[in-house]
Amino acid sequence: MKTLHLKDFYKFIITNFRKLSFGWILTFLSSFGQTFLISLYVPEIIKAFSISEGTFGAIYAGCTVTASIIMLTVGHTVDHKPAKTVTAFSITGLAIATILLGFSYYFIPLIIAIIMLRLFGQGLLTHISMTLISKIFDKNRGKALSFSSLGFSIGEAILPILITTIIAFYNWRVAAIGSGALLLLYLVKLKFTNLKHFDDKLISIKGNTTKKLVNNYKEIIFNKKFGILMPAVFAVSFINTAVFFYQYIFVEQKEWSATLYASFFTAYAITRLVFSLFGGVWVDKYTAKKLFRFYLIPLNIGLLPFAFMDSIIGALAFLILAGITTGISGTVKTAIIAEVYGTENLGAIRSIFTMFMVISTALGPLIVGFLIDHDFSVSHILLILSIILCIVVFNSQRINRI
């Protein structure tokens, strides 16, 4: 049965490759604004500006929160502006951000660059990709989203090697400026790309649909649906960012081999990629509502061996189980919003979820860093995160009531 589903998946990709590849390239390019790539510049930025890790962490958190707030004001545009327009705007903004980062010799340009990286990269490019793909595909939304989300995995596999190589042979400023040049090159391709098929479901901002939602975000946030969906969306980004941000500190405290631990990331990448694909098939077969109740459980289980096992196999177990949840979540988080709220105003509604998701990536490292500074052990920190995730999983069971 699984083979049949994967065969259908392959046929679906071949048939719709032109549309799906657009979603894939946007998630790939969003890497330039994601924490995993920005973190490669951090040691050099700290040296260049003579600041501490804590100071930069605070700056990064502040910039991320600022970007998330701005995201709320512009995320709805994907509902009523042509796909090419919003994409060109976001790619241009991200290109300017990376180039500005390379030319930042003072704090103000650095802060502006980081805000723009988080807004246009992690925020808007991901948002545009997931929203447009959700709107144009209904019956096969899960497969479409899972294929588009593969851009994240490919970015994680390729870009860190490319960026670190440029930094090693030249410097971090050349790497940042070169990234901006690459993004500008994509704008040339975008000019000759036909995206009219994504504009069929545009709605007028003059009506009482998207505009009403933009002016009444408070109603959405205090709705029962939001209270069920948001904690799960928030938790994955919060816990993943917090753990991965301090993973080598945890490994050091456990007295494990950092080199061996780093090699385990291959297992994480493979698991995430495989379950990104399976997640799409399962969403189409069982619906996102059913998967939503259970997809956080592997990550929750994975925190326990990482916390309490003396062997580094505990870290491998965590990475594999985290890969399962992270892979599935890329599809489930967007598909569940489309199933619960519909797709007409998906850009406006999803921008709220994206805002909180981005905020979670800022709060995770801050809170865990606070616990580390107050001498909490690795085991206690990971146990706290597991308890939080248990509460979120129980809350997710309420999805059947809406």
Side-chain angles (χ1 to χ4, degrees), residues 291-359:
L291 264 67
F292 181 79
R293 297 175 57 198
F294 307 109
Y295 83 103
L296 293 174
I297 294 176
L299 175 60
N300 196 12
I301 294 173
L303 289 169
L304 299 178
F306 197 3
F308 297 110
M309 284 183 67
D310 294 328
S311 169
I312 196 171
I313 297 300
L316 177 60
F318 164 74
L319 289 171
I320 291 173
L321 290 166
I324 293 173
T325 290
T326 306
I328 296 174
S329 71
T331 301
V332 171
K333 287 191 297 186
T334 296
I336 189 68
I337 296 172
E339 287 183 13
V340 171
Y341 290 99
T343 60
E344 184 180 18
N345 304 294
L346 186 60
I349 296 170
R350 195 179 182 283
S351 66
I352 305 176
F353 285 86
T354 301
M355 181 191 75
F356 280 93
M357 182 272 292
V358 174
I359 289 175

Side-chain angles (χ1 to χ4, degrees), residues 50-126:
S50 300
I51 57 178
S52 68
E53 288 84 350
T55 299
F56 182 80
I59 291 172
Y60 190 70
C63 290
T64 298
V65 172
T66 301
S68 71
I69 295 171
I70 299 173
M71 175 70 201
L72 187 63
T73 67
V74 297
H76 64 91
T77 55
V78 73
D79 287 329
H80 54 83
K81 295 289 185 182
K84 185 174 287 191
T85 301
V86 294
T87 303
F89 172 73
S90 300
I91 294 289
T92 302
L94 186 57
I96 292 172
T98 55
I99 294 171
L100 180 60
L101 179 67
F103 283 110
S104 294
Y105 292 92
Y106 301 98
F107 275 110
I108 292 179
L110 176 67
I111 290 171
I112 294 174
I114 295 174
I115 291 173
M116 293 177 67
L117 284 170
R118 303 299 279 156
L119 171 63
F120 293 108
Q122 184 186 34
L124 278 172
L125 284 186
T126 300

Side-chain angles (χ1 to χ4, degrees), residues 181-378:
L182 178 64
L183 288 161
L184 291 175
L185 280 176
Y186 178 71
L187 279 180
V188 178
K189 181 182 183 303
L190 182 65
K191 180 177 176 60
F192 300 99
T193 302
N194 182 9
L195 300 178
K196 292 291 186 181
H197 42 272
F198 286 111
D199 298 336
D200 292 339
K201 295 188 177 182
L202 290 179
I203 58 176
S204 174
I205 190 66
K206 295 179 181 180
N208 60 355
T209 51
T210 299
K211 185 175 181 180
K212 182 178 179 180
L213 283 171
V214 172
N215 293 328
N216 293 280
Y217 280 136
K218 185 176 180 181
E219 293 181 12
I220 299 173
I221 292 173
F222 288 99
N223 187 276
K224 177 182 177 180
K225 297 177 183 178
F226 189 83
I228 296 172
L229 299 182
M230 175 46 62
V233 174
F234 189 96
V236 175
S237 302
F238 176 86
I239 291 176
N240 276 351
T241 307
V243 173
F244 288 141
F245 199 85
Y246 293 106
Q247 58 193 335
Y248 287 103
I249 293 178
F250 295 161
V251 169
E252 182 180 348
Q253 288 188 19
K254 288 273 194 176
E255 298 182 347
W256 291 338
S257 166
T259 303
L260 182 57
Y261 176 81
S263 70
F264 287 164
F265 258 84
T266 303
Y268 170 78
I270 292 172
T271 305
R272 177 175 179 175
L273 189 149
V274 169
F275 278 87
S276 291
L277 297 175
F278 275 113
V281 174
W282 292 336
V283 163
D284 289 338
K285 182 178 180 180
Y286 302 110
T287 75
K289 278 189 175 183
K290 290 184 178 178
L291 264 67
F292 181 79
R293 297 175 57 198
F294 307 109
Y295 83 103
L296 293 174
I297 294 176
L299 175 60
N300 196 12
I301 294 173
L303 289 169
L304 299 178
F306 197 3
F308 297 110
M309 284 183 67
D310 294 328
S311 169
I312 196 171
I313 297 300
L316 177 60
F318 164 74
L319 289 171
I320 291 173
L321 290 166
I324 293 173
T325 290
T326 306
I328 296 174
S329 71
T331 301
V332 171
K333 287 191 297 186
T334 296
I336 189 68
I337 296 172
E339 287 183 13
V340 171
Y341 290 99
T343 60
E344 184 180 18
N345 304 294
L346 186 60
I349 296 170
R350 195 179 182 283
S351 66
I352 305 176
F353 285 86
T354 301
M355 181 191 75
F356 280 93
M357 182 272 292
V358 174
I359 289 175
S360 74
T361 64
L363 292 181
L366 274 182
I367 293 174
V368 171
F370 174 83
L371 295 176
I372 292 173
D373 289 344
H374 286 76
D375 299 322
F376 279 73
S377 68
V378 176

